[in-house]
Amino acid sequence: MSDSAFEIILDECLDAVLSDARTIDDCLALYPEHAAELKSALQIGLLAKRLKQPEMEAGSLDALEMRLRGQMLAARQPAGRARLAPLSRLAAMVALVFLFTLGAGGGVVAASAHSLPGDPLYGVKRLWEAIVLALASWFDGTDDVWLSLAETRLDEAEDLATHGILYRDVLYDLYDATEHAMTLADADTAPRVVVFLNQAQTRLQDLPTTAATDPVRAELFTLIMPGPDGRLRVNSLEETPEAQPETATSTPTVIPSWTPSPDQPSTTPVPPTRTPAPTSSPTQKPTSRVPATATRTPSPTVTPTFTVTPSLTPTHTWTPLPLPVLPTTQGGSPSNGSRVIGPSATPVQPTSDATVRYRATQAAVYATQTAQAAFETEEPQP
Amino acid sequence: MDRAEEGRLLRQAQRGDADAFAALYREHVQVIYRYIVHRVGDHHLAEDLTADVFTKALQGLDRYREQGKPLVAWLYRIARARVIDHYRRTSRRPVESDVEAEPLPFDADLDTPMVRREAARVLRAAIAELTEDQQQVVILRFVEGYRVEAIASLMGKQPNAIKALQHRALRTLANRLARAGFDIESVLAGIS
């Protein structure tokens, strides 16, 4: 007998046995020539039928329904956004100003500011973000907005995780905003992106995840951790002084002092061989966001390990931010034994590429922020 | 819920009625959850993927056309795609060693709950190793209790194709349990 004939017999017997119309033995008696194969197939069918039927818990059912209702409300928002698309940007701006003049729009947007995914007003919040993003693109300021959005998404993820309802789309949104912030960062934004990534590493580590959200968190870690070359993939970080072109040949103007921290090998630092001209680096321009201070201690909990002696500043002591947990790099020694950081040259101990580059970036940020004060208050050293 | 009622709720949901969509969700969420949990074997993951299914359904609601099939057929298709997508993302599927890692303790009393639980565990793991189509047939046929014709409609296949899938699936499962040392008759006797 062909397989298809047996399949018909099997199905007939399964219908009868599963509905308790016949027993397995009844079927075997009807088709003794197929008894052996019928028996095991029918037994497995019965066993599978008696597997425990899992049910989704009532709390999860309600939470999902609430989230879907919120998404349904939010889903109406893209339609409104689509209608806005053909309008000129100017018209959109005028409409926005008008809305705020009336006060209603501002009230709704303000009310939505602390909403979370699934909340009725969350769609308003996202719409408002899209408007801000569109407006920012006029002024070439989307990098700032994306960084702010990444911070917001991280806050939301933490809040949802606290309530046990973190789901993957939230982390994907965080990934998206973070990636945009990293990709679009300019020289001004890059240091703040680095600080955000540093915080995000710690906060994501503490984020309670499930089997579903954990892979997305792993992808996020891949994004925000330094790559195999030890570099954070933040745009414009290459413009920090450590990546200055290697054409400068001027005599070093400072001999930076180096105090090895306990976790670093006591390698004798190699004096820098070049010092970029103070005006040649875009990061030497003091930023307007951070007031220049003579001494800055980014974190009160860490021990100073560097003493930077810039050529234009007698002594600035700074403390590196706590290092993130960085992957162990092979080799452990940078390709260049000496590095130039900021307006002055500071050798970085070759602990690992990732560590060196991270601290070098911090040093660059520090040097940028204090450069203005140095110019105004100190006499340049010969 | 009959097809007419489902159609009415569907049209209301497509017009933006959240209550109608919630009613459809309540009607189908458990079968979709059961399907997924049998496929992935993890309750938390199944909840997340179930949420994904209904989110996708919500997003595609405007484009959905009935075409003579029940809504649950569409939901099953989304669920199946989400499960496949999940395994593609994580590059992980249950491996054979999971099924055969713990052979039946031959000296154990076959009527003990422990043995039945173990048999159920091995059976679930073996189901998870079947092909996508075979898994879906087994779940719809034996877990949800559909008949072959209904499964054919849900899966968009011919009934004969479903019977063939059912046959191959049962044969594979029987072999797996036999290799793991289970006497199915004894296990069944213990739970009758």
Side-chain angles (χ1 to χ4, degrees):
Chain A
M1 187 179 282
S2 68
D3 263 7
S4 65
F6 177 76
E7 284 155 7
I8 292 169
I9 292 170
L10 172 62
D11 191 54
E12 177 198 322
C13 287
L14 278 171
D15 275 345
V17 170
L18 293 173
S19 62
D20 293 328
R22 286 183 209 154
T23 64
I24 292 179
D25 288 338
D26 292 342
C27 285
L28 300 184
L30 277 174
Y31 302 100
E33 68 276 26
H34 301 296
E37 192 171 6
L38 261 184
K39 185 177 180 183
S40 63
L42 293 175
Q43 285 174 339
I44 290 289
L46 270 184
L47 197 62
K49 183 189 174 190
R50 293 178 186 186
L51 283 176
K52 188 180 172 191
Q53 303 305 311
E55 294 279 312
M56 200 162 163
E57 290 175 7
S60 302
L61 277 181
D62 293 341
L64 179 53
E65 181 180 333
M66 199 171 68
R67 194 197 308 172
L68 289 167
R69 284 176 180 274
Q71 286 173 357
M72 206 156 181
L73 186 70
R76 295 176 191 153
Q77 303 299 335
R81 202 163 35 189
R83 283 194 293 277
L84 273 177
L87 294 176
S88 70
R89 286 174 166 181
L90 182 60
M93 181 67 132
V94 170
L96 198 63
V97 170
F98 182 70
L99 194 66
F100 269 83
T101 306
L102 290 177
V108 174
V109 171
S112 72
H114 298 292
S115 62
L116 293 172
D119 291 346
L121 283 179
Y122 190 67
V124 177
K125 181 180 181 181
R126 295 301 292 264
L127 180 62
W128 175 247
E129 289 175 356
I131 292 170
V132 170
L133 200 57
L135 293 176
S137 67
W138 292 359
F139 308 104
D140 198 21
T142 52
D143 53 336
D144 269 321
V145 178
W146 278 115
L147 176 57
S148 167
L149 292 181
E151 288 164 344
T152 304
R153 295 292 90 83
L154 182 56
D155 291 342
E156 289 171 357
E158 286 182 327
D159 285 348
L160 288 174
T162 304
H163 293 94
I165 50 173
L166 176 64
Y167 55 101
R168 293 189 301 169
D169 283 352
V170 177
L171 292 183
Y172 281 131
D173 283 349
L174 170 59
Y175 186 102
D176 184 49
T178 306
E179 188 178 40
H180 273 92
M182 293 169 71
T183 308
L184 299 174
D186 62 14
D188 275 350
T189 323
R192 290 192 293 129
V193 173
V194 171
V195 171
F196 168 72
L197 295 182
N198 183 21
Q199 294 170 349
Q201 286 160 14
T202 308
R203 290 166 69 181
L204 281 172
Q205 195 74 51
D206 296 338
L207 200 67
T209 52
T210 63
T213 51
D214 202 46
V216 189
R217 182 174 67 163
E219 289 178 34
L220 263 164
F221 273 121
T222 306
L223 175 71
I224 67 178
M225 296 298 281
D229 60 352
R231 282 181 176 276
L232 287 166
R233 283 165 287 169
V234 178
N235 188 46
S236 302
L237 267 190
E238 289 75 11
E239 296 171 25
T240 54
E242 72 163 344
Q244 286 296 309
E246 300 189 8
T247 53
T249 55
S250 57
T251 308
T253 54
V254 292
I255 303 296
S257 60
W258 164 257
T259 307
S261 58
D263 60 334
Q264 291 168 325
S266 56
T267 311
T268 305
V270 180
T273 56
R274 60 188 183 276
T275 302
T279 55
S280 65
S281 166
T283 59
Q284 289 172 353
K285 203 166 53 181
T287 61
S288 57
R289 288 191 195 89
V290 183
T293 54
T295 301
R296 176 171 176 262
T297 306
S299 166
T301 59
V302 294
T303 308
T305 55
F306 280 87
T307 300
V308 179
T309 312
S311 59
L312 300 177
T313 309
T315 301
H316 283 288
T317 302
W318 73 287
T319 307
L321 290 167
L323 282 172
V325 179
L326 294 170
T328 305
T329 55
Q330 283 77 36
S333 169
S335 56
N336 185 357
S338 63
R339 291 176 184 276
V340 180
I341 298 175
S344 65
T346 305
V348 178
Q349 286 302 90
T351 51
S352 73
D353 274 350
T355 306
V356 165
R357 289 177 193 287
Y358 189 78
R359 286 204 163 135
T361 303
Q362 290 178 0
V365 174
Y366 167 75
T368 301
Q369 290 167 345
T370 54
Q372 183 64 44
F375 280 117
E376 288 173 355
T377 59
E378 306 294 343
E379 288 295 323
Q381 291 181 345
Chain B
M1 183 184 293
D2 61 28
R3 294 287 296 279
E5 172 70 358
E6 184 175 276
R8 188 182 63 77
L9 288 172
L10 200 51
R11 285 186 291 279
Q12 287 180 348
Q14 286 174 324
R15 287 196 294 270
D17 185 337
D19 289 337
F21 187 77
L24 292 170
Y25 157 79
R26 288 274 174 183
E27 177 69 17
H28 297 299
V29 64
Q30 293 292 10
V31 294
I32 295 301
Y33 171 76
R34 276 198 299 270
Y35 169 73
I36 294 175
V37 83
H38 276 292
R39 295 290 311 273
V40 301
D42 178 286
H43 289 270
H44 294 297
L45 178 58
E47 283 186 5
D48 274 337
L49 292 177
T50 303
D52 282 354
V53 169
F54 282 92
T55 300
K56 288 279 179 194
L58 186 57
Q59 289 167 353
L61 202 57
D62 289 343
R63 299 185 298 278
Y64 177 74
R65 298 290 175 268
E66 288 186 53
Q67 297 176 332
K69 288 184 181 177
L71 178 68
V72 74
W74 182 49
L75 296 174
Y76 273 127
R77 279 210 308 279
I78 300 175
R80 178 187 162 116
R82 299 306 295 169
V83 170
I84 293 171
D85 184 51
H86 163 73
Y87 282 125
R88 193 175 292 142
R89 276 178 183 279
T90 58
S91 303
R92 184 186 68 83
R93 286 205 61 181
V95 292
E96 186 155 342
S97 58
D98 288 347
V99 179
E100 297 177 351
E102 295 175 52
L104 177 70
F106 283 102
D107 56 344
D109 175 0
L110 288 175
D111 287 340
T112 62
M114 185 273 286
V115 173
R116 291 200 296 273
R117 274 202 304 274
E118 183 62 11
R121 186 193 71 77
V122 172
L123 181 58
R124 285 181 201 281
I127 291 173
E129 280 191 64
L130 297 173
T131 66
E132 299 289 337
D133 280 344
Q134 287 174 1
Q135 284 187 56
Q136 189 155 10
V137 168
V138 167
I139 293 168
L140 293 178
R141 180 78 159 121
F142 303 109
V143 175
E144 295 302 334
Y146 287 103
R147 298 188 66 160
V148 162
E149 292 73 19
I151 297 171
S153 170
L154 287 173
M155 292 179 66
K157 293 179 183 292
Q158 293 297 317
N160 283 344
I162 302 299
K163 286 175 186 169
L165 286 166
Q166 174 178 262
H167 175 208
R168 287 197 291 272
L170 290 175
R171 192 169 54 195
T172 305
L173 293 176
N175 288 340
R176 291 280 162 79
L177 263 74
R179 267 194 284 163
F182 284 97
D183 176 358
I184 307 301
E185 194 162 5
S186 302
V187 176
L188 275 174
I191 57 178
S192 293

